[in-house]
């Protein structure tokens, strides 16, 4: 369902902007690394102050710009990402 342009957005701009200060800190066990080497996805998700964050690690045989273009194309997340049933980029 689309947002109603006549109504204020529910969070009123209170969700803090994601701060990317370099690469995220990721601690992988030997078992995690072996799973990634076999092509599996490693993920960690958490909620901090009501905001969800997730990090995924997968070894992908593609240039970084191609991968970034794919993961930053938010419009195609519906139907591609589990539990995303709708998305509105604003």
């Amino acid at each position: 369902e689309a947002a109603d342009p006549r109504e204020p957005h529910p969070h009123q701009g209170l969700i803090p902007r994601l701060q990317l200060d370099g690469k995220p800190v990721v601690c992988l066990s030997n078992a995690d690394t072996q799973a990634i080497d076999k092509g599996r996805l490693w993920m960690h998700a958490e909620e901090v102050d009501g905001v969800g964050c997730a990090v995924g690690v997968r070894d992908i045989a593609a240039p970084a710009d191609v991968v970034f273009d794919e993961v930053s194309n938010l419009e195609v997340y519906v139907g591609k990402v589990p539990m995303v049933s709708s998305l509105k980029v604003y």
Side-chain angles (χ1 to χ4, degrees):
E1 180 180 334
D4 185 341
R6 298 165 301 199
E7 296 291 325
H9 196 277
H11 67 64
Q12 292 297 296
L14 297 177
I15 294 178
R17 184 173 178 84
L18 177 64
Q19 296 297 318
L20 295 176
D21 299 322
K23 295 178 183 177
V25 176
V26 176
C27 298
L28 301 172
S29 68
N30 286 336
D32 294 334
T33 302
Q34 290 173 358
I36 292 167
D37 288 343
K38 292 178 182 175
R40 295 193 188 111
L41 171 65
W42 177 90
M43 266 185 59
H44 173 75
E46 62 183 286
E47 186 174 312
V48 178
D49 297 326
V51 178
C53 300
V55 174
V57 177
R58 175 174 270 164
D59 188 16
I60 299 174
D65 61 324
V66 172
V67 174
F68 185 77
D69 286 347
E70 183 66 22
V71 300
S72 62
N73 185 0
L74 300 178
E75 289 83 7
V76 300
Y77 275 37
V78 176
K80 183 188 277 189
V81 177
M83 300 189 308
V84 175
S85 60
S86 68
L87 182 126
K88 174 131 175 93
V89 177
Y90 60 93

